[in-house]
Amino acid sequence: MDLNEFKKVCWKTFKKYSFIKKGNNFHYVYNEEFGLVYGIQKSYYGSYCYIEPAIYIKSINEFMPFPPFSGCEIRCARLTHTVGNNLTTTFYYEILDEQEINDALEKSIPIYIDLIKGGKSEIRKCYLENEMYLSLWRGAADYLEI
């Protein structure tokens, strides 16, 4: 498959969760406080890309209403999948099939949706207790009172 087909496969999965597509970003708009975005970042070096989730804080985000992944206050770990016996963050779209892509997304999406549904206290707890990789940017630490 090529990059456009890869994005279509991703979109098919994101649509099931009521995401909105804006360019190479897929947005889940939950409430007035938080949103979730998955960015697809194409490599300059080959036929692969990365899928990168992030959380945005609506009241302080300068890129509203649909910030790109790179404009979010809380960055999350890149999605991973298994190739052979190795776990990797690179999605070589020319050799992947639809099921492999769908499986990676299906493992991730419910986790991050539940996280933002838990609100500020759940995100703060997750960060402080290292339950998953979260990197705070652009005022997120102040907003989360960390």
Side-chain angles (χ1 to χ4, degrees), residues 76-140:
C76 309
R78 288 178 171 168
L79 263 61
T80 60
H81 68 107
T82 304
V83 176
N85 294 324
N86 300 312
L87 194 62
T88 182
T89 60
T90 52
F91 285 78
Y92 290 92
Y93 48 81
E94 290 182 338
I95 61 171
L96 288 171
D97 65 32
E98 188 170 334
Q99 190 61 50
E100 292 171 299
I101 299 162
N102 184 58
D103 289 349
L105 291 170
E106 289 285 356
K107 279 194 302 191
S108 168
I109 293 170
I111 292 168
Y112 289 114
I113 287 177
D114 286 347
L115 182 61
I116 66 170
K117 284 183 175 180
K120 183 177 179 177
S121 63
E122 186 62 26
I123 295 169
R124 184 177 190 277
K125 176 182 168 285
C126 183
Y127 176 78
L128 291 173
E129 295 179 8
N130 274 333
E131 292 178 11
M132 66 177 70
Y133 175 82
L134 298 175
S135 176
L136 306 183
W137 295 61
R138 296 187 177 91

Side-chain angles (χ1 to χ4, degrees), residues 25-87:
N25 295 287
F26 302 88
H27 293 265
Y28 180 82
V29 181
Y30 174 61
N31 61 19
E32 295 303 314
E33 190 171 22
F34 295 106
L36 171 65
V37 63
Y38 279 76
I40 296 180
Q41 181 181 346
K42 164 77 172 83
S43 170
Y44 293 110
Y45 305 106
S47 298
Y48 60 92
C49 58
Y50 304 101
I51 302 175
E52 303 179 289
I55 297 167
Y56 53 96
I57 303 167
K58 293 180 180 183
S59 64
I60 63 172
N61 191 286
E62 64 188 271
F63 302 103
M64 289 300 293
F66 296 106
F69 160 81
S70 60
C72 291
E73 292 77 24
I74 304 169
R75 308 266 181 98
C76 309
R78 288 178 171 168
L79 263 61
T80 60
H81 68 107
T82 304
V83 176
N85 294 324
N86 300 312
L87 194 62

